[in-house]
C-alpha cells in the first residue's frame, strides 16, 4: 500500500468515503446485473437498511430501545406522499427526501425530549405507544391522509441526465424501479457515511459513555439529556428518510403498512446483525428482505401448497432468529468480530 | 523523485479507471431499434401462467385465504379436462398478509420474476391500490379484483387493464336503499359503516333513496373491536332498521353488542358481512361459547346475494362447484369463499376462451370489453364490461336469512353507478345453467 492510500485509510473521513465509493460501484454492478424483480427487492433492502442503521446507532451506541421506528417511517412516507401527489407540481426528488427527513427529525426531537426523561423499559413503552397511535392518525384525518386506503405516491420520471449518464456507463436503460433502487442505495450510502463518522467522533464517544454508565458520564461533564435527545433525533431522521424511500418503492403510504410489526421487524434486523454495527444492520435488512421470499419459493418448489409455503416464511425467520440468539448472542457481526479479536490475541 | 513517481502512478490510475469506465458502457444511444416480435409473457405452447395476491396469513386470512383454493380447484378441473385451447392454467398465489407494502413486493415478484400473463382476483382495496398503477404501467391485464370499490371499473382511461368483478358497493347501496324506501317507508334508518371506500360508496348509494329517512350515521375503524358507542348511538336515535356496510367480524360484534344493550332493530347487512357460516363461528368465538348456534342468531337479518352460495345445494352451479371441490379440492368442505373463487375462475376461463387460441395481453382485455356483457355464468346479473366501463356484475337480489339459508325477497335487480335507474333484470342471467362439462366455451 502506498503512503498516499495509507494516509487516506488512516483518516476516518477518508476511510469512510473510500468505502462509500467502493459501495457505490458495488451497488451499480449489482443493480445492473440483476433482474428488475431483484432491483425491487434491493430497494426494499435499502429502506430497511437505512431505518435499521438509524436504530442500531440509537440502541447499540446510546442504549435506548425504540419500539416506534415504524411510526417515524410512516411520518417520512406520508410527507413524501403529500409532496408527490401530483405529476406536474412535484418538487425535485432530493428536496422531497430532505423534507421527509426533516419532518421526522422535528417530530423525533419532540418525542426525544420526552424519551430522554425515561429509562429502559419506559422508553420502549412510550415509543410502543407511538407505533400504535401513528397509523390511527392517518385514519382520523381521512380527508388529508387518505384513511385506510392511504395516499398514492407519484414517482417522478427518471431525469434525463441520470438516464443518459447511466446509459453511457452501463448501456442499460433505467427503469423506474431501478431508479428507485438507485435512490434508495444513494440515500443508504450517504446516511451510513454520516452515521459512521458520527459514531467515530466525539459525539459517538459521548453516546457510548452515556450507554455504559450514565452516572460516570454525568460526572465527566456530559449533559445526559442532550446526548440522548441527539441520538434519538439522528435515529428518527434516518427512519424518516427510510420512510421516504419506502413510499417511492411501494408508491403508496397506507396505515396498514406501518403496523407494529414493522417496528419489531426493524428491531429484529438490528439484533440479528449485531447491535451498534452498521454492517450488522445491513445484514439484518438483507435477511428481512430476502429470507421470506427465498424460503417461500423453496417451499413452493418442494411441492408445498401456497398456504404452507406462506406459513413457512415466518417459521424459518423465527428459527433463524433463535439460532442467531443461541449461537451468536452478540449478533452476526458482533460475534464474528469477537471471534476475530480472540484469534488475534491468541495466534 | 519519489513524489514524482507517485504522482505519475496516481495520474495513470485515474486515467486507466476513466478508460475502463468509458469502455464498459455504450458511450451513447444507438438509433431506435426495431421491435422484435416477442412471445406473449406467461403463455407457452401448453401452459398459461396467472397469479394473484391474497392474505394467506395474518388477520384477514380467515375466510379470504379460502378464495384462492377455490380458484385452484376450478383450474385443476379445467386442466384435467384438456385445458383452454390445449393450454393448462397455472395459478400462482402469493401471500401479502393484507399489507400494501407486501402486496407491492409480491406483485413485483409475480410480474417480474414469475412472469405471469395476467393478475386474476387480487384481493383487497388498500392492498390492490398499491399495485394497480404498476400493473397498468406494465400493461399486465388486472382482471376481476376481489373488492367492490368503484375505482376498478369507473375510470377505464387511467386503468385500461383493470376490471372489477363483484357488484360495486354503490350499486349495492342503491338497491338496498330502494328496497328499504319501498318496504319500510316510515322506518327510521341508521347506518353502520366501515370508515373507508366500502362504507363511503355504500352510503352514497343508500342516500340516493333514503336521504330523509336516515337519522343516524355511525362509522367504525377496522381493527377497533369496541362497537358499543356506535351501537348505543343507533339505539339512542331510536332507529327501526340498521344498514351495515361492514366485514363479517363486525356483523358478529354488532349482534353481540346489540344483544347486550337490549337493542332489537331490523338488521340489513350488505353481502360482504353476511356469510352466515363465518359470522356464526365468529359469534361463537367472540362470545366465548355463550352463543352456540350462531347462524340462527342471524334469523330475520336481510342481506343481498349476487352468486348462488352453499345454502342452495340444489342450484346447478353449486352442484358443479361441489363436484369440482370433491374431485380437485385441497381438503375441508365447500364454503362460500371457495364458491366465490370458483365463480371468478369460471369468468377468467370464459375470458380466456373468448381471447382465442393465441391469447395476448391486449387480446384478453379486448375480448372482455367486446364479449363480457354476454358471458353466461353463476352471477345472477350480467356484467357491465364495455370499452367505457370495466365495472363487474350489475346487480343483486335482496334476501332474508333463516336457519343459515337465504330466502329471496326480490327478483334480481340491476342498476349502475350514478343516476342509472334500478330495474328488474330481464337478461335471464339468474337462470343460466352451467354447460354439461362445466367449462365455458367463451
Amino acid at each position: 500500500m502506498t503512503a498516499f492510500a495509507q494516509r487516506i485509510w488512516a483518516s476516518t473521513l477518508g476511510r469512510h468515503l473510500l468505502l462509500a465509493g467502493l459501495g457505490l460501484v458495488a451497488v451499480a454492478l449489482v443493480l445492473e446485473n440483476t433482474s428488475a424483480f431483484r432491483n425491487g427487492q434491493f430497494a426494499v433492502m435499502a429502506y430497511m437498511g437505512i431505518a435499521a442503521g438509524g436504530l442500531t446507532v440509537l440502541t447499540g451506541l446510546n442504549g435506548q430501545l425504540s419500539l416506534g421506528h415504524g411510526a417515524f417511517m410512516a411520518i417520512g412516507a406520508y410527507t413524501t406522499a403529500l409532496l408527490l401527489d401530483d405529476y406536474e407540481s412535484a418538487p425535485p426528488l432530493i428536496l422531497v427526501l430532505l423534507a421527509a427527513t426533516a419532518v421526522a427529525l422535528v417530530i423525533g426531537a419532540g418525542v426525544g425530549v420526552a424519551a430522554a426523561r425515561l429509562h429502559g423499559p419506559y422508553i420502549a413503552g412510550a415509543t410502543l405507544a407511538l407505533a400504535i397511535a401513528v397509523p390511527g392518525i392517518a385514519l382520523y384525518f381521512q380527508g388529508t391522509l387518505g384513511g385506510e386506503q392511504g395516499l398514492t405516491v407519484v414517482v417522478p420520471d427518471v431525469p434525463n441526465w441520470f438516464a443518459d449518464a447511466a446509459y453511457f456507463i452501463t448501456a442499460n436503460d433505467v427503469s423506474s424501479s431501478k431508479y428507485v433502487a438507485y435512490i434508495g442505495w444513494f440515500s443508504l450510502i450517504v446516511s451510513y457515511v454520516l452515521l459512521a463518522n458520527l459514531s467515530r467522533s466525539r459525539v459517538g464517544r459521548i453516546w457510548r459513555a452515556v450507554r455504559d454508565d450514565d452516572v460516570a458520564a454525568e460526572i465527566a461533564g456530559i449533559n445526559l439529556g442532550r446526548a440522548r435527545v441527539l441520538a434519538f433525533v439522528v435515529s428518527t431522521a434516518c427512519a424518516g428518510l427510510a420512510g421516504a424511500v419506502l413510499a417511492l418503492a411501494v408508491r403508496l403510504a397506507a396505515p396498514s403498512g406501518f403496523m407494529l410489526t414493522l417496528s419489531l421487524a426493524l428491531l429484529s434486523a438490528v439484533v440479528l446483525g449485531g447491535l451498534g454495527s452498521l454492517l450488522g444492520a445491513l445484514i439484518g435488512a438483507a435477511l428481512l428482505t430476502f429470507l421470506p421470499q427465498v424460503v417461500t419459493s423453496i417451499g413452493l418448489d418442494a411441492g408445498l401448497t401456497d398456504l404452507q409455503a406462506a406459513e413457512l416464511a415466518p417459521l424459518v425467520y423465527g428459527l433463524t432468529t433463535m439460532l442467531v440468539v443461541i449461537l451468536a448472542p452478540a449478533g452476526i457481526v458482533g460475534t464474528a468480530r469477537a471471534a476475530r479479536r480472540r484469534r488475534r490475541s491468541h495466534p | 523523485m519519489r513524489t514524482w513517481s507517485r504522482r505519475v502512478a496516481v495520474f495513470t490510475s485515474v486515467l486507466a479507471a476513466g478508460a475502463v469506465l468509458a469502455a464498459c458502457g455504450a458511450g451513447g444511444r444507438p438509433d431506435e431499434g426495431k421491435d422484435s416480435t416477442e412471445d406473449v409473457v406467461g403463455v407457452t405452447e401448453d401452459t398459461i401462467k396467472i397469479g394473484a395476491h391474497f392474505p394467506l396469513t395474518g388477520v384477514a386470512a380467515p375466510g379470504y385465504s379460502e378464495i384462492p383454493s377455490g380458484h385452484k380447484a376450478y383450474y385443476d378441473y379445467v386442466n384435467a379436462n384438456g385445458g383452454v385451447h390445449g393450454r393448462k392454467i397455472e395459478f400462482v398465489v402469493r401471500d401479502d398478509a393484507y399489507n400494501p407494502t407486501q402486496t407491492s413486493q409480491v406483485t413485483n415478484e409475480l410480474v417480474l420474476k414469475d412472469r405471469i400473463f395476467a393478475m386474476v382476483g387480487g384481493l383487497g382495496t388498500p392492498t390492490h391500490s398499491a399495485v394497480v398503477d404498476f400493473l397498468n404501467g406494465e400493461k399486465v391485464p388486472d382482471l376481476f379484483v376481489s373488492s367492490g370499490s368503484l375505482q376498478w371499473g369507473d375510470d377505464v382511461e387511467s386503468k385500461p387493464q383493470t376490471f372489477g368483478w363483484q357488484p360495486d358497493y354503490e350499486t349495492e347501496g342503491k338497491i338496498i336503499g330502494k328496497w328499504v324506501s319501498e318496504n319500510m317507508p316510515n322506518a327510521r334508518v341508521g347506518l353502520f359503516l366501515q370508515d373507508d371506500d366500502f362504507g363511503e360508496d355504500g352510503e352514497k348509494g343508500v342516500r340516493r333513496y333514503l336521504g330523509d329517512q336516515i337519522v343516524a350515521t355511525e362509522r367504525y375503524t377496522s381493527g377497533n373491536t369496541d362497537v358499543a358507542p356506535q351501537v348505543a348511538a343507533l339505539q339512542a336515535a331510536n332507529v327501526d332498521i340498521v344498514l351495515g356496510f361492514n366485514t363479517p367480524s363486525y356483523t358478529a360484534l354488532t349482534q353481540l353488542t346489540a344483544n347486550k344493550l337490549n337493542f332489537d332493530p331490523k338488521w340489513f347487512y350488505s353481502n360482504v358481512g353476511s356469510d352466515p357460516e363465518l359470522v356464526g363461528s365468529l359469534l361463537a368465538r367472540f362470545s366465548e361459547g355463550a352463543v352456540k348456534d350462531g347462524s340462527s342468531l342471524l334469523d330475520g337479518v336481510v342481506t343481498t346475494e349476487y352468486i348462488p352460495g352453499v345454502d342452495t345445494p340444489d342450484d346447478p352451479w353449486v352442484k358443479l362447484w361441489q363436484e369440482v371441490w370433491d374431485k380437485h379440492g385441497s381438503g375441508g368442505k365447500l364454503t362460500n369463499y371457495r364458491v366465490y373463487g370458483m365463480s371468478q375462475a369460471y369468468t377468467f376461463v370464459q375470458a380466456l376462451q373468448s381471447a382465442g387460441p393465441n391469447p395476448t395481453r391486449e387480446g384478453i382485455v379486448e375480448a372482455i370489453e367486446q364479449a363480457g356483457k354476454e358471458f353466461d355464468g353463476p352471477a345472477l346479473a350480467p356484467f357491465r364490461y364495455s370499452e367505457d366501463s370495466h365495472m363487474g356484475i350489475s346487480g343483486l337480489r335482496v334476501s332474508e336469512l333463516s336457519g343459515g339459508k337465504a330466502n329471496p325477497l326480490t327478483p334480481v335487480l340491476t342498476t349502475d353507478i350514478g343516476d342509472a335507474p334500478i330495474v328488474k333484470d330481464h337478461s335471464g342471467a339468474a337462470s343460466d345453467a352451467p354447460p354439461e362439462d362445466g367449462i365455458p366455451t367463451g
Side-chain angles (χ1 to χ4, degrees):
Chain A
M1 208 189 282
T2 66
F4 180 64
Q6 260 167 7
R7 215 167 57 227
I8 289 183
W9 194 251
S11 104
T12 307
L13 180 64
R15 187 168 65 242
H16 291 159
L17 286 180
L18 192 67
L19 285 175
L22 290 176
L24 212 55
V25 173
V27 164
L29 284 176
V30 169
L31 289 185
E32 292 304 332
N33 290 304
T34 49
S35 64
F37 163 61
R38 293 287 173 208
N39 283 178
Q41 279 194 312
F42 278 112
V44 174
M45 181 180 161
Y47 69 69
M48 290 308 271
I50 297 170
L55 186 61
T56 206
V57 165
L58 179 71
T59 309
L61 295 189
N62 194 233
Q64 302 188 63
L65 180 64
S66 166
L67 297 179
H69 264 49
F72 291 101
M73 287 180 76
I75 289 164
Y78 271 96
T79 310
T80 308
L82 288 173
L83 289 172
L84 293 177
D85 63 338
D86 190 359
Y87 197 75
E88 271 82 37
S89 64
L93 209 49
I94 181 86
L95 289 186
V96 175
L97 294 176
L98 288 176
T101 314
V103 171
L105 186 145
V106 170
I107 296 175
V111 177
V113 169
R117 296 163 163 271
L118 303 171
H119 286 269
Y122 300 103
I123 305 178
T127 47
L128 178 70
L130 200 69
I132 291 170
V134 164
I137 295 176
L139 296 177
Y140 190 79
F141 296 102
Q142 199 174 9
T144 33
L145 298 179
E148 185 71 40
Q149 251 84 262
L151 297 170
T152 47
V153 178
V154 183
V155 178
D157 283 338
V158 183
N160 281 331
W161 64 265
F162 184 86
D164 287 343
Y167 192 84
F168 187 84
I169 297 171
T170 64
N172 287 334
D173 271 316
V174 183
S175 66
S176 168
S177 65
K178 194 186 277 181
Y179 177 55
V180 171
Y182 269 116
I183 292 171
W185 280 88
F186 285 145
S187 313
L188 181 118
I189 288 172
V190 170
S191 60
Y192 272 32
V193 167
L194 295 176
L195 287 175
N197 278 334
L198 208 56
S199 67
R200 279 276 173 172
S201 71
R202 182 164 162 271
V203 178
R205 286 189 294 276
I206 289 177
W207 287 350
R208 284 193 195 82
V210 172
R211 171 196 65 188
D212 291 339
D213 190 333
D214 50 352
V215 177
E218 200 163 17
I219 291 171
I222 293 171
N223 183 334
L224 291 187
R226 195 185 297 160
R228 288 209 176 106
V229 174
L230 186 63
F232 202 84
V233 163
V234 166
S235 175
T236 55
C238 288
L241 179 62
V245 177
L246 181 149
L248 292 175
V250 181
R251 299 159 188 246
L252 180 85
S256 40
F258 303 97
M259 289 305 174
L260 184 60
T261 42
L262 177 63
S263 301
L264 297 182
L266 284 175
L267 200 63
S268 90
V270 169
V271 171
L272 280 179
L275 278 180
S277 153
L278 288 176
L279 180 62
L282 202 57
I283 292 174
L287 280 177
L288 219 52
T289 312
F290 291 99
L291 194 66
Q293 184 265 328
V294 169
V295 166
T296 309
S297 297
I298 292 174
L300 284 176
D301 290 345
L304 295 181
T305 65
D306 300 316
L307 190 62
Q308 288 165 329
E311 285 166 345
L312 194 61
L315 178 74
V316 170
Y317 190 78
L319 289 175
T320 311
T321 312
M322 284 187 212
L323 279 179
V324 169
V325 169
I326 293 170
L327 300 177
I332 295 170
V333 172
T335 304
R337 276 193 187 144
R340 204 178 53 192
R341 229 173 289 137
R342 260 202 312 281
R343 203 170 313 140
R344 248 185 228 164
S345 52
H346 305 287
Chain B
M1 186 65 196
R2 276 190 55 212
T3 351
W4 180 80
S5 69
R6 197 185 304 145
R7 266 189 210 152
V8 169
V10 170
F11 180 70
T12 26
S13 38
V14 167
L15 210 65
V20 168
L21 208 60
C24 75
R29 286 167 195 274
D31 298 331
E32 281 304 303
K34 67 274 159 207
D35 271 346
S36 55
T37 40
E38 216 192 331
D39 294 333
V40 180
V41 177
V43 181
T44 67
E45 200 63 11
D46 45 15
T47 62
I48 182 156
K49 197 186 230 176
I50 56 175
H53 58 88
F54 280 97
L56 302 180
T57 61
V59 282
Y64 290 154
S65 66
E66 292 174 1
I67 295 175
S69 67
H71 271 270
K72 266 226 162 100
Y74 186 70
Y75 298 135
D76 286 349
Y77 174 83
V78 171
N79 292 345
N81 286 293
V84 179
H85 295 299
R87 290 191 185 84
K88 300 215 179 321
I89 300 171
E90 266 178 62
F91 185 56
V92 191
V93 182
R94 301 260 171 214
D95 176 32
D96 65 3
Y98 212 71
N99 171 347
T101 317
Q102 283 189 37
T103 312
S104 112
Q105 286 176 39
V106 297
T107 302
N108 269 335
E109 188 170 7
L110 286 167
V111 172
L112 302 171
K113 181 159 162 272
D114 299 328
R115 299 185 63 73
I116 53 170
F117 169 70
M119 168 87 81
V120 181
L123 186 139
T125 306
T127 45
H128 202 72
S129 326
V131 296
V132 66
D133 289 340
F134 169 72
L135 290 170
N136 279 283
E138 298 279 325
K139 303 221 176 335
V140 181
D142 176 22
L143 311 178
F144 318 139
V145 182
S146 306
S147 142
S149 176
L150 300 180
Q151 54 173 315
W152 317 128
D154 66 347
D155 187 4
V156 176
E157 215 158 285
S158 75
K159 294 172 186 138
Q161 309 281 324
T162 302
F163 288 82
W165 187 75
Q166 68 193 62
D168 59 277
Y169 302 133
E170 185 183 337
T171 292
E172 189 173 1
K174 282 174 68 177
I175 292 174
I176 291 174
K178 185 158 186 231
W179 184 84
V180 173
S181 73
E182 280 172 0
N183 291 281
M184 303 176 78
N186 301 314
R188 295 166 64 82
V189 178
L191 301 182
F192 181 71
L193 308 168
Q194 178 158 303
D195 202 358
D196 62 5
D197 263 21
F198 175 26
E200 214 172 282
D201 292 349
E203 183 183 5
K204 198 164 32 163
V206 168
R207 281 201 185 272
R208 272 184 187 276
Y209 292 89
L210 290 177
D212 39 4
Q213 263 182 275
I214 297 171
V215 291
T217 306
E218 291 299 317
R219 295 168 211 282
Y220 73 93
T221 304
S222 192
N224 182 354
T225 53
D226 181 16
V227 295
Q230 287 92 336
V231 175
L234 291 170
Q235 188 176 24
N238 206 5
V239 302
D240 303 312
I241 178 168
V242 178
L243 309 181
F245 285 83
N246 55 261
T247 52
S249 314
Y250 285 87
T251 303
L253 288 169
T254 45
Q255 287 298 314
L256 286 177
T257 314
N259 239 349
K260 234 183 269 172
L261 297 175
N262 246 338
F263 175 44
D264 190 24
K266 184 104 182 143
W267 293 90
F268 194 138
Y269 292 105
S270 74
N271 183 281
V272 172
S274 68
D275 182 36
E277 209 168 313
L278 182 66
V279 173
S281 73
L282 289 169
L283 274 170
R285 201 190 321 151
F286 292 165
S287 66
E288 288 161 356
V291 177
K292 290 262 158 41
D293 185 15
S295 49
S296 72
L297 199 68
L298 291 182
D299 282 357
V301 164
V302 188
T303 184
T304 62
E305 288 182 293
Y306 55 86
I307 47 174
V310 287
D311 57 313
T312 51
D314 294 331
D315 184 281
W317 291 100
V318 180
K319 272 189 188 150
L320 170 65
W321 306 144
Q322 191 66 55
E323 183 196 337
V324 169
W325 187 251
D326 290 344
K327 276 193 198 145
H328 300 283
S330 51
K333 59 179 177 145
L334 188 67
T335 61
N336 276 338
Y337 291 98
R338 293 186 168 126
V339 167
Y340 179 99
M342 288 194 217
S343 305
Q344 264 183 337
Y346 188 90
T347 313
F348 173 68
V349 170
Q350 220 160 8
L352 200 56
Q353 295 276 25
S354 344
N358 298 308
T360 60
R361 284 176 162 177
E362 302 83 43
I364 195 163
V365 168
E366 211 170 289
I368 300 172
E369 285 179 348
Q370 302 298 333
K373 268 189 185 152
E374 312 299 323
F375 283 169
D376 288 335
L380 299 178
F383 295 105
R384 283 167 279 176
Y385 303 137
S386 71
E387 277 171 24
D388 310 313
S389 168
H390 286 181
M391 307 295 285
I393 300 169
S394 57
L396 22 74
R397 68 173 168 226
V398 179
S399 312
E400 186 167 359
L401 297 179
S402 102
K405 279 189 169 39
N407 305 311
L409 296 178
T410 66
V412 177
L413 302 169
T414 65
T415 182
D416 203 345
I417 50 175
D419 293 329
I422 297 177
V423 293
K424 218 178 110 184
D425 181 44
H426 291 295
S427 69
S431 53
D432 289 343
E436 202 117 306
D437 60 355
I439 298 170
T441 48

